[in-house]
Every structure is written in structure tokens, then in C-alpha cells.
Amino acid sequence: MLILIFIQPVSGGPAAVHQLFWNADTTAPRPDTTKGLADTTIKKKTDSTSRHIDSLKISKDSLDAPVKYSAEDSGVLVVDTKAFYLYGKAKTDYKDMQLEAATIGFDQQTQTVKAFGSRDSSGNPLSKPLFLQSDMKTVSDSIFFNLKTGKGQVKNTFLQEGELFVNARVLKKVSPDEAFAGWARLTTCNLDTPHFAFRTRKMKIINNKLGVSGPAFAEFEGVPVPIGIPFGLFPLYKGRHSGILAPAFTASEDFGLGLEGLGYYKVINDYVDLTTRANLYSYGGWNLNLNSKYIQRYHFTGSVNLTFQNTKSLNRSGSSAEEFSSSHSFMINWSHSRDSRARPGTSFSANVNFGSTRFNQTLLNNPFQNFQNQLNSSISYSKDWNGKVNISLNANHNQNSVTRLVNLNLPTANVNVVTFYPFQKKDQVGTGKWYEKIGIGYSGNFINQLSFYDTNFNFRRMLDTLQWGAQHSLPISLSLPSLGPVTISPSVSYEERWYGQRILRHWNTSGQKVDTAIQKGLYTARQMSFGLSASTRIFGTYKFGPHSNIIGIRHEIRPTISLNYKPDMASKYFYNLRIDSTGRQIRVSQFDGGVIGPFGEGTFGGISFGVDNLLEMKVKDKKDSTGKATRKVKLIDGFGFNSSYNLMADSFALSNINIYARSTLFEKINVTAGAILDPYAIDNRGYRVNRLILDPTKFKFGRLTSGNLAIATQFQSKTRDGKDPKEKDKNIPVDPFMTPDEQQRQLQFARANPAEFTDFDIPWSLSLSYSLTFNNVLKSDYSGFETKTYSSANFNGDFSLTEKWKMGATGYYDFSTAKLQSFSMFISREMHCWQMSINVTPIGLYRSFNITLNPKSGILRDLRINRSRSFSSY
């Protein structure tokens, strides 16, 4: 290998230039190029005379920077013509320019570089000239370039500028950042024979800025399209930059023809941007969205989203003489989070979603938001003092789009004091005394609540709904040493609640109804409790034979029992209320319906008990070739019950029995279940009577009054390369600066356009979930009880018809109404540099279909063929 370094030549002609080249592989000593030169400040005296040495002069044809180069074959210097040639995989490096070719020639007099390729023994191209400067990369048949002027010309070049690939018959470079191409082909497909391209006779390219072409004609698979465009603009910016956002065309029988997504993106500064989008419809409806994101690294990040919507749709109900029905709505979304490193010990976060209750229902082509009936907001600030005291201030909001009720909780203050030990010595030596382990804590919160209906808002009426309350809790605990396998824990708790109002109800004989009166003021209630609890763990193992794949089953039982005493300090706030003409009465509290619930009346002195179970199995690992490895399989993550018995009660001494279970079956199916059993009988109207129906001999433990069941599972095949999809997900980069609001919006967009987010590496996937809840509740007229049941199922899946075609669907079925409330399906086609997606929503508030064909490249994202239609279902 010949390694050469070209250093700026000095005056003296070709002979001096020749002295500046040497072969690094030879053993000859390096020539001393400084011989014969002297410092201009030195004068040499000879015979009492002095002679001045001329200063070092640089020749006019020298370069202003070193050139590093190498070649596998040889390097040839022609002294007479001041030309130098490199043969065999030659490489040069000059300033920000890099050149690789089979042959490179340099003419020092004209400062011109020439580069050529070669062919192998079969005549195929070999070592074509490769030129790199800044972000421009070209592969050509030949290159002619002037190092001084930065100008050059290349023949049959392939140029890559960002995502854009250009093949030009002739490319002229006029400056480091500008080039002109003649007879060019433009594409974003990275194949040698691209799937599509635009052909133009002339084009100008400005690095990292813009590509401008003259009249251009598209071609697909080499077949030209007769319809062309008068000019083309191809943005080549990198990073954020301002610009127009192109719209998509849509058509709807309810809204008319429309343009969706028309807008402008503005970069305000390095920390803030603004995106403006608008939807315009021919019937007069419109939607305006303003979204701004802000971020300062290590300080905070957030986004503000403001949407105004003027819905004007065709009136299909026939209930009104108007041809169109109109409504106005708005939505405000604000998400903010502060970096914990900005101000250690304090935190501030916000997640605000506030607007018109009908906003989600009037959104077009968004079935997931159409059925979201709840809006919630929270703003929180907290301060921590060395991990001992924590104070948080919160403002919360929730509203229901069905009832149109809005609740505001502001402010809500919470104070927590971590358990401290007042009798513990600062310098503990040895085992402390028992009283030194007495711990005292504190927790308290203050709540305000305002409520109003957005259909009839009145500020004064809203203030009349103001409720406030506070509660304080002082838990006292004592840690005792274990008595063998049993742990003993005594406790004392004091709790006090403050109420800003009380509700007094009485039976109106003349009107045959219950009248209610609200009294404002400051009212207090308090409660104490004493307890002594014991807990332990019991293990049992069943082992299998040596030839079984199951090694053993392990059962862990965790029983707990406690003795509790609670004096009756709340009965004075309870009274008998007649509820019907028959004289039936119930016990109610004057603090029912407040922001803080009432204490339960009655003295409790009894036993609380519960049992929790864990069942797991150890099996042989079939993946292990040695046959010695094992793995654990959980059969039941948790199963048990808890209840209590009041020894001091004269009736209804046994409380409800709470049963729960949770498990992950086959490491695939997640199951969670719970139920509440009432051990007492009821009369013909559903009210409890003091008669136990508990009979363990008949496996009868009471009446089922409420329960819940949730089952969820997900199945998917391995990727085409045989890897686990979970390992693939680990390699997906996560943006740490994306706010929760942005993540939710990105998820909603992916759900609404599933065909554009299809993973063709996974042949099929399926997600299923089912939920069931039921409750036995008192009727609003106190006439008895009724059971309300809610049951639904969700499904989401896709499968590959071929390697390039994929189909999928997602939906929601409500068993309570026996209707498929939401369903959408998609078909997606993988086309390498293009993608085609078909989204169909045949069921829901808005039925729609959408067909989109567009390149995958970001610079051509607005070049799409789009066809969409939507229809309302009401």
C-alpha cells in the first residue's frame, strides 16, 4: 500500500514539489525540506559584510490546506507538467471534501482534480468515483473538479440529498452548496431501479434547503405518466422549520365537501413552536386547531392545544324545519411537566382537558373520541421537606357528556407527615426499648367542590353548590418483635372530619314525598379505633416423580386476624327517615351527599379476618438442552377473602364477605375477579333482614350483591426473522420529551388510521378483552333495589394475507345493549417506498371510509391520492 501526504509546495518549481513526496513504506530517510532556509531575522556576517536572507515564499499554484491521500496500486508524479496520479482504489481528503475512485489525477497548475472508474474482468463497473462534501453524496462515471473555485462537473451521477435520490446525466457544481442537474430523475426510492420517479430536464439543488425543478413527468415502474407538473419544489431542510401544511380532500353527506388539515407550522424559537390547522366544509362548518409545544431541557416540557368547532350538518331527523343543524363547541388541552432536576424537592404538573361536553360527539371520523363521555383535568403542585413532610395543592375537574354535569375541585390541599418516633434516641446503641418503636404520623386534606350544568350555567347558582370539607388522621403504630412465625402489630387511630354543610331530610305527609333542606356552616365529627393484628405465612409443597415434567407445586397461605374496637362516636349524626306511605324507615346521616362521606354509626368490637393464597408450579425448562434448568409458573397470583364479625352488635354482626382472585393463565391470559357476598337474607322488597343464610355445608356463603370480572389476552406470531416481538419493541426509541398528552394524541391518530401503522414483520396479532360488572343498588324512589349490569368486549387484530397485504379490525361490543357500538377495519399494502391504506368504519356515530396512496418519504408526505367519505348514524 502506498501512503502519501501532499504538503503545500514552496517556490522553486517542480523539483521542490518533488521533494515533498515520499514513500512511507521505504526505508530511505525523510528529506529535510528546511535545508537551505533561514529565519529572516538572522544576519550572517562574512568579511565584515552582512547578507540578508530572503523570506519563505509560497507559490501561487499551492493549496491552502493539506491533502491526505492513499492508493493500493501506485502514485505517479509527472514533474514537468506538475501532475500527480493515484491508481487502484485511490482516496483523497481535502478540507470537507472526500473523493474515492479507481483513478484520481491532480493538475497543480490548474488546481483541477479528475476521477474515473474502472471495470473488472467481466466488464462490469468497478470503483466508481464517490464524492462527499457537506451533506451531499454523489456516485458518478467521471468527475472534474476545481479545488480553488469549488466548481465541478460530473457525468451520469447518482446524488443523495437527505431522502431525495437524483440521477443526472450531467451535474454541474457551482459552489459548495449549489448544483445544477440536467436530464435528471428524482425519487425517494433507494433502489437502483426505483418504483417511481419524476423526470425533468433541469433542476437546481441547494444543500439542506431546497430542490427546484422545471416541468416534470412522473413514471411508475419505468412507465411514464402523460400528465405532468409545471414545476416541482422538494424541501431538503433538516430539523424544524416553518412551512405550509397541505390539506386532504374529503366528502361527507352531512358536512359536504371539505379540506382537512390545511395549516401552517411556525418555529417561534428554539423552545416554542406553533401548529395551526383548519378543516373547512362546503355546508359552512369549520374546525380550527391551535397547538403549541414548548420545551426547555432539564427544566420543563409541555403543550397547549386549543380547538374551536362550528358544526353545521345536514338535518336528517326531520324534527326541525331547518335544513341544517348547527352547534358550537370548544376544547382546551394543556399538558405540562417539570423536570425533577429543575427544583429538587418541588414538582409541578398539569393535565387539563376542559371544553364543551358535546365536543367529542361532534368530531368527524374519530370513533374512539366519539364515545368518550368523561373529561378529566388535574393541576398539581407539591413540596417536600427532606422526605419528612409533604404538601400538595391540586385542582381537579371532571364532566360527563351524557348528564352534562361539571364538577370542579379547587383547591384540594393534602398534608402528609411521615411516621416519626418521638421516643427514639438520636444515637441508638443496641436494641431499643419497646416504647422507642412507637411511631406517629399525620395525614390531612382539604376539599372544595363546585358543580354546574353547562346547559344552564349561572355563576351565582354555581356558588350555591359550593361544598367544602376536611379530614385529619393521626395513626399511631408500634412495631413489636416477631413471636416465631407470627408478627404482632398493635395500632391506634384518631380521625376527625369537618363539613361545610349538612343535609336534613323528612317525610312530607301532604305531598307524600321526602323533602330535603341544606344548612351551611361548620360541623365536625370524629372517630377513634384500636387494633391488634397478627399475621403469618404457611407453606406447603407437593413433589412429583422424577420422570414428570412438573417438579412440584407450592402453596402459600397468608392468614391475617385482628382484634378491633371502635366506639360509637357518630350515632348522634344519624336519624330515622320515613321513605314511603307504608311507614318504612331507613337510617341516614346528616352528612350524606357531602364531598367527604360520614362515619359509620354503631360500636364495633370484634374480629377482622382474611386469607390470601398463592399457588405456583415449578416445571422443567424444555428450552434448556441440559435438562437441568427449571422455571416457575404461577397458577394463581392471589386468591382469598376477608370479612369481620362485630361481637358487640345485637344484629347484623357479620359483615359482607369480600372475595377476590387474580391470575395469569399460561402466561397469556390475565384474569381479575371480585365479588361481595351478603350473608343475610332479604325481604320481598330487597331490604336486609336479620337472618343468616350462611351454610358452609352446602357451600352457601351468602347473596351475591356485586361483582366484577375482567379477562384480557394478546396473541401474536413471531417476526419473520423468528425473533420475539417483545425484543423488537425494546429497540424502539422512546422520546423522553413527549408529553402524556402528545402520546395520547399519537395513540388516537394511530387508532384512527391503523393502516398507516402496520407492522408487516409480524404475520398476525390478536388482542381480546372482556369486562363484566354488576351492582345491587337502591332505587331513586326508595321502593326497593335493582341490579345494574354492564358488560362489554373489545377486540383488535390483524393478519397478513400475503407478505405485502395485511388486513385488520378493531371494535367494541356492548352486551348490555346487545349492539356493536364501534367497529373499524383496514387493509394495507406494502409498496416499498409507497404505502396504500384503506380505513373503513361501517358502525358508529359516524360511518366512513378512506383510501390513501402516498410515498413514505417525509419530503413527499403531502403528495398523496386521497378519497374519503363519511355518513352520520343519527
Side-chain angles (χ1 to χ4, degrees):
M1 163 102 37
L2 182 68
I3 306 295
L4 299 169
I5 298 181
F6 179 33
I7 304 178
Q8 298 174 358
V10 299
S11 60
V17 175
H18 177 68
Q19 289 182 348
L20 298 182
F21 294 88
W22 64 89
N23 191 331
D25 293 335
T26 63
T27 58
R30 173 179 173 178
D32 186 4
T33 58
T34 62
K35 186 177 181 180
L37 303 178
D39 193 325
T40 57
T41 61
I42 299 177
K43 294 182 179 181
K44 185 177 179 180
K45 294 183 180 180
T46 304
D47 298 333
S48 301
T49 62
S50 62
R51 183 168 56 89
H52 182 73
I53 304 299
D54 292 338
S55 60
L56 179 65
K57 296 182 179 180
I58 305 299
S59 62
K60 296 181 179 180
D61 56 1
S62 64
L63 301 176
D64 57 355
V67 179
K68 298 179 181 180
Y69 50 88
S70 64
E72 282 192 354
D73 188 348
S74 60
V76 178
L77 173 65
V78 182
V79 177
D80 296 337
T81 60
K82 297 184 180 181
F84 186 68
Y85 299 93
L86 295 173
Y87 298 97
K89 294 185 179 180
K91 298 181 180 180
T92 64
D93 194 346
Y94 173 69
K95 291 185 178 180
D96 64 338
M97 294 179 289
Q98 298 178 17
L99 179 61
E100 300 179 10
T103 303
I104 299 178
F106 172 67
D107 189 329
Q108 184 178 355
Q109 293 180 346
T110 60
Q111 302 288 300
T112 302
V113 175
K114 300 179 181 180
F116 306 93
S118 62
R119 296 182 181 272
D120 57 16
S121 57
S122 60
N124 295 320
L126 182 67
S127 299
K128 279 193 170 186
L130 172 64
F131 180 77
L132 298 174
Q133 184 178 23
S134 298
D135 293 326
M136 181 178 289
K137 176 182 178 182
T138 64
V139 178
S140 314
D141 287 351
S142 61
I143 295 178
F144 302 89
F145 190 77
N146 189 285
L147 295 178
K148 277 290 187 181
T149 63
K151 298 180 180 181
Q153 178 177 318
V154 295
K155 299 291 184 65
N156 190 24
T157 182
F158 290 86
L159 163 70
Q160 179 181 355
E161 180 67 26
E163 296 182 69
L164 189 66
F165 298 90
V166 181
N167 173 222
R169 187 182 302 176
V170 178
L171 182 72
K172 294 182 179 180
K173 190 170 179 63
V174 297
S175 70
D177 296 324
E178 297 181 353
F180 290 90
W183 301 100
R185 182 186 67 190
L186 300 86
T187 182
T188 56
C189 182
N190 59 0
L191 299 180
D192 293 337
T193 304
H195 290 96
F196 80 99
F198 292 92
R199 289 194 178 272
T200 181
R201 293 186 60 183
K202 53 185 178 180
M203 180 179 182
K204 181 178 180 180
I205 301 174
I206 304 175
N207 287 356
N208 296 327
K209 191 174 183 181
L210 188 67
V212 182
S213 74
F217 293 85
E219 64 178 23
F220 293 88
E221 301 289 352
V223 179
V225 178
I227 302 176
I229 55 176
F231 62 90
L233 298 176
F234 304 89
L236 304 176
Y237 292 96
K238 293 184 178 180
R240 300 190 309 159
H241 62 278
S242 302
I244 297 175
L245 303 175
F249 177 78
T250 185
S252 170
E253 290 188 358
D254 299 279
F255 297 89
L257 303 179
L259 293 176
E260 295 182 341
L262 175 64
Y264 188 81
Y265 176 77
K266 174 64 177 178
V267 178
I268 299 176
N269 52 42
D270 292 338
Y271 308 104
V272 185
D273 64 5
L274 176 64
T275 302
T276 305
R277 286 186 178 273
N279 300 340
L280 305 175
Y281 303 99
S282 60
Y283 289 170
W286 52 267
N287 180 298
L288 177 63
N289 176 263
L290 304 174
N291 179 267
S292 177
K293 291 184 286 187
Y294 56 90
I295 181 174
Q296 187 171 1
R297 194 181 293 266
Y298 309 124
H299 287 81
F300 54 80
T301 179
S303 66
V304 179
N305 188 79
L306 181 61
T307 305
F308 298 96
Q309 190 168 240
N310 177 30
T311 303
K312 189 174 183 180
S313 59
L314 192 64
N315 188 1
R316 294 173 175 269
S317 62
S319 58
S320 175
E322 298 293 334
E323 182 180 3
F324 297 96
S325 58
S326 302
S327 64
H328 303 273
S329 58
F330 72 95
M331 180 61 66
I332 300 174
N333 307 102
W334 175 39
S335 178
H336 179 92
S337 61
R338 189 167 66 186
D339 197 306
S340 59
R341 293 166 289 188
R343 295 187 63 182
T346 65
S347 66
F348 176 79
S349 62
N351 185 15
V352 176
N353 302 281
F354 179 79
S356 304
T357 54
R358 298 297 183 184
F359 178 84
N360 286 342
Q361 184 177 344
T362 54
L363 279 177
L364 185 63
N365 296 332
N366 198 329
F368 292 93
Q369 279 194 258
N370 292 154
F371 290 95
Q372 287 185 1
N373 297 325
Q374 294 288 337
L375 289 177
N376 298 279
S377 303
S378 64
I379 302 175
S380 176
Y381 171 83
S382 65
K383 172 67 177 177
D384 181 81
W385 283 271
N386 300 322
K388 297 180 179 180
V389 182
N390 178 274
I391 295 179
S392 64
L393 299 176
N394 305 277
N396 301 291
H397 144 266
N398 67 81
Q399 64 188 98
N400 188 287
S401 61
V402 177
T403 62
R404 310 197 72 168
L405 177 64
V406 181
N407 295 315
L408 302 175
N409 294 327
L410 56 131
T412 298
N414 297 279
V415 181
N416 290 282
V417 179
V418 179
T419 302
F420 64 96
Y421 302 89
F423 305 109
Q424 192 177 68
K425 296 179 181 179
K426 292 184 178 180
D427 300 324
Q428 186 73 37
V429 178
T431 304
K433 304 295 183 180
W434 67 270
Y435 57 83
E436 294 181 4
K437 297 182 179 181
I438 297 177
I440 302 175
Y442 170 79
S443 64
N445 60 70
F446 180 85
I447 302 175
N448 282 288
Q449 179 174 294
L450 295 167
S451 301
F452 63 91
Y453 289 93
D454 69 343
T455 54
N456 189 19
F457 175 77
N458 183 282
F459 184 75
R460 183 174 181 180
R461 189 178 303 166
M462 182 185 68
L463 292 180
D464 291 338
T465 66
L466 174 64
Q467 296 186 60
W468 66 271
Q471 57 182 352
H472 313 271
S473 177
L474 284 170
I476 302 174
S477 61
L478 174 61
S479 300
L480 296 179
S482 300
L483 301 177
V486 181
T487 302
I488 305 296
S489 301
S491 63
V492 179
S493 177
Y494 173 81
E495 188 174 356
E496 182 168 315
R497 298 179 182 178
W498 298 349
Y499 302 90
Q501 68 177 28
R502 63 179 180 178
I503 300 176
L504 301 178
R505 288 165 285 187
H506 68 279
W507 176 254
N508 187 333
T509 306
S510 60
Q512 295 293 297
K513 63 178 182 176
V514 176
D515 290 339
T516 302
I518 299 177
Q519 293 182 354
K520 300 287 186 178
L522 173 61
Y523 307 96
T524 62
R526 54 201 54 83
Q527 184 68 66
M528 288 192 69
S529 64
F530 306 87
L532 181 66
S533 63
S535 62
T536 187
R537 301 170 67 187
I538 303 172
F539 301 93
T541 304
Y542 179 81
K543 294 185 177 180
F544 289 79
H547 301 291
S548 175
N549 291 327
I550 302 176
I551 299 175
I553 295 179
R554 181 172 177 266
H555 183 200
E556 180 181 345
I557 306 174
R558 296 184 286 244
T560 59
I561 187 171
S562 62
L563 299 175
N564 300 283
Y565 172 72
K566 178 180 72 71
D568 186 5
M569 304 175 67
S571 60
K572 59 183 177 181
Y573 306 115
F574 283 78
Y575 57 93
N576 293 323
L577 173 64
R578 180 181 171 183
I579 59 174
D580 57 27
S581 58
T582 63
R584 183 183 298 274
Q585 293 183 344
I586 62 173
R587 293 285 289 177
V588 295
S589 172
Q590 57 184 273
F591 299 128
D592 285 333
V595 291
I596 298 177
F599 290 113
E601 68 171 335
T603 301
F604 180 87
I607 303 174
S608 298
F609 52 89
V611 177
D612 187 37
N613 297 268
L614 173 64
L615 193 66
E616 58 185 3
M617 178 173 58
K618 182 182 289 187
V619 299
K620 295 180 181 179
D621 191 352
K622 297 181 179 179
K623 297 181 180 179
D624 182 62
S625 58
T626 63
K628 297 181 179 180
T630 62
R631 61 187 182 92
K632 291 182 179 180
V633 178
K634 286 188 176 182
L635 302 177
I636 299 179
D637 296 340
F639 170 74
F641 69 92
N642 56 71
S643 183
S644 62
Y645 189 86
N646 189 356
L647 298 173
M648 304 181 67
D650 57 355
S651 62
F652 301 106
L654 183 62
S655 64
N656 291 339
I657 302 173
N658 181 26
I659 302 176
Y660 61 89
R662 59 185 183 276
S663 180
T664 303
L665 304 177
F666 314 109
E667 299 181 353
K668 284 291 184 181
I669 305 175
N670 297 317
V671 180
T672 303
I676 295 179
L677 300 177
D678 189 345
Y680 290 93
I682 57 175
D683 60 12
N684 56 357
R685 286 200 173 187
Y687 288 92
R688 300 174 79 194
V689 295
N690 190 25
R691 178 168 55 87
L692 281 172
I693 57 174
L694 188 66
D695 189 357
T697 60
K698 296 182 180 180
F699 207 70
K700 187 175 183 180
F701 298 95
R703 296 180 299 105
L704 195 61
T705 59
S706 65
N708 63 83
L709 174 65
I711 303 175
T713 184
Q714 181 178 8
F715 303 95
Q716 61 182 12
S717 64
K718 291 185 177 181
T719 58
R720 297 191 185 279
D721 55 7
K723 296 182 179 180
D724 191 340
K726 295 181 180 179
E727 297 297 327
K728 180 180 179 180
D729 295 339
K730 294 180 181 179
N731 299 325
I732 297 177
V734 178
D735 187 358
F737 302 103
M738 183 176 290
T739 64
D741 177 68
E742 292 173 337
Q743 296 175 4
Q744 184 65 24
R745 291 180 180 280
Q746 193 176 68
L747 178 61
Q748 290 177 356
F749 182 80
R751 285 173 171 175
N753 303 272
E756 298 184 21
F757 297 88
T758 304
D759 190 349
F760 283 88
D761 291 334
I762 301 178
W764 63 269
S765 65
L766 177 64
S767 299
L768 299 171
S769 64
Y770 172 79
S771 64
L772 168 68
T773 60
F774 63 92
N775 292 279
N776 195 21
V777 298
L778 181 65
K779 295 181 180 179
S780 58
D781 59 355
Y782 304 102
S783 61
F785 291 82
E786 60 181 349
T787 301
K788 292 189 175 181
T789 304
Y790 305 93
S791 178
S792 64
N794 292 272
F795 58 90
N796 184 13
D798 60 69
F799 64 95
S800 298
L801 300 173
T802 65
E803 290 187 358
K804 300 298 183 180
W805 283 95
K806 175 159 283 195
M807 181 177 182
T810 180
Y812 163 73
Y813 184 84
D814 188 352
F815 290 94
S816 303
T817 59
K819 290 183 179 180
L820 188 63
Q821 298 288 357
S822 175
F823 177 79
S824 62
M825 59 181 297
F826 73 87
I827 299 176
S828 183
R829 173 71 164 93
E830 164 65 23
M831 303 169 65
H832 185 254
C833 51
W834 282 67
Q835 66 181 5
M836 184 183 71
S837 60
I838 303 175
N839 293 281
V840 182
T841 304
I843 297 175
L845 193 61
Y846 291 104
R847 296 171 290 118
S848 64
F849 72 86
N850 176 275
I851 302 175
T852 303
L853 179 66
N854 64 292
K856 294 181 180 179
S857 171
I859 65 174
L860 298 179
R861 67 181 63 182
D862 297 326
L863 181 64
R864 63 173 60 192
I865 301 172
N866 181 78
R867 176 62 172 167
S868 64
R869 296 289 299 273
S870 64
F871 317 87
S872 67
S873 301
Y874 66 92

